[in-house]
């Protein structure tokens, strides 16, 4: 008797991506199409401090037969470090989320003016206006400043703009306006979402501090950490899988895609979660 054989359908989850609603290059619809073409079956759009792109992403996802998750990536502070927390399966209409988004967008505008003023003192002219124009309707961030500085010849490329002007410890690294991590986690969970600690390796913390960060994140109600963020060394994946187990957290994975042409952050292009991990999607299946 036939009928007991099921085709194995590979599910590919990419739960961390950006469109031009924040600092990505593609429109939300183009992002969805690219993800679909690359075999992603479950995609979260997680723009910085905005949910503006979700609606058009959803329309496109329905056409492509791809499952779209509502997401966001919040900037916040922990112990003086700028930390990112992703919210997955959030309700974009929830009042607590809306309040957090409004506050973040205001903070980003004020911060952008401050960054522009600081860059002006370093001899970079018109940076605020230039970055603002590049951000268009989207939420403004340091990458828009970086693009402006490359366009105007102040920096050779995006990476050196961050090294010289915008990265950790540089003039444009303004982060004191962000709320603390606990209130961000609370806003996500109050909206029905799952709070995920984004790319824990990127903060360049010592092992001890990383444990402290994960511990306060968990105490605040955080439920998962990104064990896989883009293409990363296997030892990092192992360390983070160990951390997830140690703190009894679910594991997430995503490319952190921003733009085509960066193979280390390409849609769906990363190793699967280690077997030892509990994937975060177990929370909603
Ligand atoms: P912001 O949200 O304004 O704090 O800017 C942070 C964003 O800048 C990150 O989400 C990345 O997209 C980007 N970024 C940070 N560091 C670098 C870097 N070294 N090179 C290129 N992009 C970077
Ligand atoms: Mn970004
Ligand atoms: Mn981030
Ligand atoms: Mn991101």
């Amino acid at each position: 008797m036939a009928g007991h054989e099921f085709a194995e359908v590979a599910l590919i989850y990419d739960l961390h991506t950006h469109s031009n609603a924040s600092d990505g290059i593609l429109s939300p619809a183009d992002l969805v199409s690219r993800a679909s073409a690359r075999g992603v079956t479950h995609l979260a759009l997680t723009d910085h401090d905005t949910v503006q792109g979700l609606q058009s992403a959803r329309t496109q996802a329905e056409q492509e037969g791809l499952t779209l998750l509502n997401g966001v990536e919040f900037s916040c502070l922990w112990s003086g470090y700028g930390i990112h927390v992703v919210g997955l399966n959030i309700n974009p209409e929830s009042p607590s989320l809306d309040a957090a988004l409004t506050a973040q967008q205001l903070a980003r505008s004020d911060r952008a003016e401050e960054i522009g003023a600081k860059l002006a003192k370093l001899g970079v002219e018109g940076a605020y206006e230039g970055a603002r124009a590049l951000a268009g309707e989207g939420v403004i961030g340091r990458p828009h400043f970086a693009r402006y500085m490359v366009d105007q010849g102040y920096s050779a490329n995006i990476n050196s703009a961050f090294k010289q002007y915008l990265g950790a410890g540089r003039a444009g690294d303004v982060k004191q306006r962000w709320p603390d991590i606990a209130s961000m986690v609370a806003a996500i969970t109050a909206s029905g979402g799952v709070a995920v600690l984004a790319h824990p390796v990127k903060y360049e913390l010592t092992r001890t501090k990383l444990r402290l960060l994960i511990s306060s994140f968990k105490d605040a109600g955080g439920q998962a950490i990104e064990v896989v963020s883009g293409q990363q060394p296997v030892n990092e994946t192992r360390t983070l899988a160990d951390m997830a187990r140690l703190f009894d957290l679910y594991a997430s994975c995503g490319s952190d895609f921003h733009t085509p042409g960066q193979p280390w952050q390409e849609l769906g292009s990363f190793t699967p979660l280690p077997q030892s991990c509990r994937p975060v999607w177990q929370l909603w299946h």
Side-chain angles (χ1 to χ4, degrees), residues 98-220:
D98 199 55
L101 290 168
T102 304
Q104 287 295 91
Q105 286 162 22
L106 203 63
R108 273 196 179 267
S109 285
D110 292 348
R111 171 188 186 250
E113 287 189 45
E114 187 179 339
I115 293 173
K118 289 189 163 189
L119 292 176
K121 283 198 184 140
L122 297 175
V124 180
E125 286 167 35
Y128 173 70
E129 293 75 12
R132 185 73 270 171
L134 288 169
E137 306 267 280
V139 158
I140 194 168
R142 283 179 284 167
H144 302 109
F145 284 91
R147 285 173 211 157
Y148 174 79
M149 291 198 299
V150 173
D151 289 350
Q152 297 298 309
Y154 289 104
S155 300
N157 53 53
I158 299 289
N159 200 31
S160 68
F162 270 89
K163 275 208 176 116
Q164 290 171 271
Y165 296 106
L166 299 162
R170 303 280 140 201
D173 177 30
V174 178
K175 53 182 182 267
Q176 68 276 15
R177 291 171 199 273
W178 306 137
D180 68 72
I181 193 168
S183 62
M184 230 62 265
V185 171
I188 292 167
T189 42
S191 85
V194 173
V196 183
L197 183 64
H199 44 60
V201 170
K202 283 227 178 97
Y203 314 120
E204 297 185 352
L205 305 173
T206 61
R207 194 65 72 93
T208 308
K209 278 209 167 156
L210 181 58
R211 282 210 193 89
L212 283 171
L213 166 63
I214 295 174
S215 168
S216 24
F217 172 75
K218 165 119 188 172
D219 289 346

Side-chain angles (χ1 to χ4, degrees), residues 48-81:
H48 296 282
D49 300 312
T50 182
V51 294
Q52 211 61 52
L54 290 177
Q55 209 171 345
S56 60
R58 182 158 304 283
T59 306
Q60 189 66 27
E62 278 160 12
Q63 281 179 28
E64 311 252 358
L66 171 153
T67 303
L68 182 81
L69 286 96
N70 291 329
V72 68
E73 180 176 18
F74 279 126
S75 296
C76 52
L77 269 179
W78 172 81
S79 197
Y81 293 93

Side-chain angles (χ1 to χ4, degrees), residues 16 18 46 48 73 199 256 258:
H16 186 151
H18 297 274
T46 57
H48 296 282
E73 180 176 18
H199 44 60
D256 206 2
H258 283 75

Side-chain angles (χ1 to χ4, degrees), residues 254-277:
S255 58
D256 206 2
F257 174 86
H258 283 75
T259 171
Q262 300 189 330
W264 60 96
Q265 287 188 317
E266 180 55 89
L267 292 163
S269 180
F270 42 82
T271 59
L273 288 173
Q275 290 290 334
S276 66
C277 291

